[in-house]
Amino acid sequence: MIRHAVRALGFALVAFSSTRLSAQVKSKSASFDRRAIPTAGKTPELHVPTWTKVALGNGAQLVVSEKHGLPLVSFQINFVGGANQYEPATKTGLANFVASMLTEGTTHRTGDQISNDLQLLGTGVGTSISGESGRMSFLSTTDKFAPTLAILADLLENPTFPPEALERLRSRTIVALTQNRDRTAGIASVVFPKVLYGTDHPYGRVTTETTVKAITRDDLVSFYKAYFQPGHAVITVVGDVKPDEVKRTLETALAGWSAGGSVPAFTYPSAPVAKATTIYLVDKPGAAQSTFSLGEVGPPRDTPDYYALRVMNEMLGVLFQSRLNHNIREVKGYSYGVGSNFAFGRGPGAFRAGGEIVTAKSDSALIEFMKELRDIRGPRPPSDDELAQAKASLVQSLPANFASVSGVNNSVASIYTQGLPEDYYKQFATAIGAVTKDDVVRVAQKYIDPDHLAIVIVGDRSRIEGPLSATKIAPIVWLDVDGNPIPNKVTP
């Protein structure tokens, strides 16, 4: 009886509290004007951290930035240069294999032991090699920094590349490539760079089953010896540390990492001359949507037009309310989202606009893509509001990059891997602010040429070829899923 009485009293109290809370909410709601647009919050302030830079005895550069709010340390060894500089053309995918297998075993630990030791420290070591840079990294608490560094040093200096792990990775990669060929977006990611650059240019090469099957353990060892050298390494450390202490710790932990290597030259062959605008159609029977990739060869990262291009592209295809997304998604409803970007590599990275399009609207979407690409070149120049929003987005998003030790580390590391001036972040806002509407139109005219675009569309040919041809935008060339021409298949 007592138990039931207590329970009943509890329910009564809950009901009373809920009723009282509901009344309070209704009272506040009655005085709240939902028609009023909330005022903007305080503009975030940019606080660029300072850092010191010294050379280690083996030639690697050490950059340390102190951030003492929390007992955390972000550590990275960044390598200037990547697969494009060190990977044989016939072994595409080799760099990724090497990075993946560094954690598969050393002369002192098996792969399982590496995993267990890192778990006991509450951390992990990340390894990656992209087209133009590479990285080994970890995030640890301050007291676990030295023991985690010791494990990373073991991975760096003593990898064994076990044959059984290589075959396991090869099998997983081939499965992933096979799965990629079943997606319109996956097919486009292979075909678009090949159409734009060809396979003689590093930017046009992609990993295939053929290149994966050609990789041997000897290839891994050769790449490792050539690539993981301190002469083109920049070690960045951010967090609850002191520069002198970090230097001493590194000199001890990396004592076996002998001097050697140098920063590679980022020289690229000339990209093929752009052809008149052509639609390259890849058939994916039954596809529920079409993947669009429209673009051309763009400028390198060190172009003096960089800031004007960032502002122009922000309003063209980055912001949610950008011209492409507003038109094709919000107004027309042809897609869940479209956009554009410039790759900005050390060489001539690609400009690409695109997204996933409802199959039945492939022709209509292409018309709108071409309209927006032409309009931003002058027929519909940017408004004052567009220019202000693009600039605000770029400048106000920058402080978030420095909110954590990992964010600071990534930002600082990018300066050295991309060859930027050390005051890049300090002068970014000023450079963006100086961009004018005339600058936006000028760079759009210079780098977006609607008459010389490669338009790659992957979708159900039986449903989209006729309507695409009827737009009269460009002739249609058939390609297979590897980007190879299908003979005698050209639709005017």
Side-chain angles (χ1 to χ4, degrees):
M1 292 291 292
I2 295 177
R3 181 183 301 171
H4 293 309
V6 170
R7 179 180 295 179
L9 177 60
F11 286 147
L13 289 173
V14 170
F16 174 77
S17 298
S18 298
T19 301
R20 184 177 182 182
L21 178 60
S22 177
Q24 290 175 343
V25 170
K26 288 181 180 179
S27 175
K28 290 181 179 180
S29 297
S31 62
F32 182 75
D33 186 359
R34 297 183 180 277
R35 295 170 298 177
I37 299 175
T39 57
K42 182 180 179 182
T43 300
E45 296 182 14
L46 176 62
H47 299 286
V48 180
T50 60
W51 59 82
T52 61
K53 182 182 178 184
V54 297
L56 298 182
N58 60 10
Q61 301 297 307
L62 172 61
V63 176
V64 181
S65 180
E66 298 181 53
K67 188 175 176 65
H68 294 291
L70 294 170
L72 295 174
V73 182
S74 173
F75 176 90
Q76 296 181 12
I77 301 182
N78 303 279
F79 296 90
V80 181
N84 294 343
Q85 287 68 51
Y86 291 89
E87 190 176 70
T90 58
K91 307 277 187 173
T92 308
L94 174 60
N96 185 59
F97 269 43
V98 172
S100 297
M101 288 194 61
L102 289 177
T103 56
E104 292 289 349
T106 71
T107 54
H108 301 108
R109 296 175 173 90
T110 65
D112 287 342
Q113 288 172 331
I114 292 169
S115 178
N116 291 337
D117 289 349
L118 289 171
Q119 285 186 42
L120 289 173
L121 293 171
T123 186
V125 172
T127 58
S128 64
I129 303 175
S130 61
E132 296 176 338
S133 64
R135 174 182 298 176
M136 298 182 71
S137 63
F138 64 80
L139 174 67
S140 74
T141 54
T142 306
D143 61 323
K144 298 296 191 297
F145 173 64
T148 307
L149 177 61
I151 296 176
L152 182 142
D154 189 24
L155 305 182
L156 173 65
E157 298 173 15
N158 309 301
T160 54
F161 303 111
E164 65 278 7
L166 169 59
E167 296 311 316
R168 186 169 61 249
L169 177 59
R170 193 195 313 276
S171 296
R172 287 204 309 265
T173 303
I174 290 175
V175 169
L177 291 172
T178 302
Q179 293 173 335
N180 200 49
R181 289 159 64 97
D182 197 43
R183 300 167 46 249
T184 56
I187 296 170
S189 70
V190 171
V191 174
F192 181 67
K194 187 173 183 178
V195 167
L196 218 57
Y197 292 96
T199 54
D200 291 334
H201 197 290
Y203 285 178
R205 298 176 194 142
V206 295
T207 303
T208 66
E209 291 184 22
T210 300
T211 62
V212 166
K213 290 178 180 178
I215 294 172
T216 67
R217 184 181 178 281
D218 288 343
D219 294 327
L220 301 179
V221 174
S222 296
F223 184 99
Y224 160 77
K225 290 180 178 178
Y227 187 74
F228 288 95
Q229 298 197 40
H232 62 117
V234 180
I235 302 173
T236 51
V237 185
V238 178
D240 186 28
V241 293
K242 294 291 185 181
D244 291 344
E245 294 176 2
V246 170
K247 186 174 185 295
R248 286 194 298 270
T249 301
L250 284 174
E251 293 281 16
T252 299
L254 301 178
W257 195 25
S258 302
S262 59
V263 175
F266 289 89
T267 55
Y268 288 98
S270 298
V273 176
K275 299 177 182 179
T277 296
T278 302
I279 298 172
Y280 298 91
L281 182 57
V282 182
D283 188 20
K284 184 67 174 70
Q289 59 189 10
S290 303
T291 295
F292 277 47
S293 294
L294 303 82
E296 58 192 301
V297 175
R301 171 61 183 81
D302 62 2
T303 173
D305 293 323
Y306 174 77
Y307 296 102
L309 282 168
R310 287 291 304 274
V311 174
M312 184 274 291
N313 191 57
E314 199 79 4
M315 64 179 68
L316 174 64
V318 175
L319 294 172
F320 183 82
Q321 67 269 31
S322 67
R323 291 186 174 191
L324 286 172
N325 198 60
H326 176 74
N327 181 354
I328 296 173
R329 172 195 158 107
E330 295 296 289
V331 176
K332 299 297 193 301
Y334 298 158
S335 172
Y336 280 120
V338 296
S340 62
N341 73 284
F342 285 84
F344 288 128
R346 289 290 191 109
F351 163 72
R352 175 190 176 274
E356 313 300 327
I357 304 297
V358 175
T359 294
K361 298 298 182 181
S362 297
D363 55 332
S364 302
L366 181 57
I367 291 171
E368 299 305 322
F369 267 109
M370 297 301 292
K371 174 183 179 297
E372 296 298 346
L373 294 180
R374 292 186 185 279
D375 279 357
I376 202 165
R377 289 165 46 88
R380 185 162 67 97
S383 66
D384 291 338
D385 284 346
E386 281 184 303
L387 186 67
Q389 288 174 0
K391 290 182 177 182
S393 173
L394 289 166
V395 173
Q396 293 181 17
S397 63
L398 195 59
N401 294 347
F402 300 97
S404 66
V405 291
S406 295
V408 173
N409 203 332
N410 291 336
S411 300
V412 173
S414 68
I415 285 179
Y416 298 100
T417 57
Q418 297 180 28
L420 305 178
E422 292 191 334
D423 65 347
Y424 168 71
Y425 294 109
K426 292 182 179 179
Q427 51 85 31
F428 182 85
T430 301
I432 291 295
V435 175
T436 67
K437 289 188 285 187
D438 288 342
D439 290 329
V440 169
V441 173
R442 175 182 60 80
V443 296
Q445 291 176 345
K446 184 176 180 180
Y447 297 105
I448 300 177
D449 183 359
D451 296 325
H452 293 85
L453 290 176
I455 304 174
V456 173
I457 301 178
V458 184
D460 189 337
R461 181 182 63 80
S462 67
R463 297 179 60 191
I464 66 177
E465 182 179 25
L468 287 172
S469 178
T471 66
K472 302 297 182 183
I473 287 175
I476 298 175
V477 174
W478 288 11
L479 302 179
D480 63 22
V481 294
D482 296 315
N484 301 313
I486 299 176
N488 303 319
K489 299 296 182 182
V490 179
T491 304

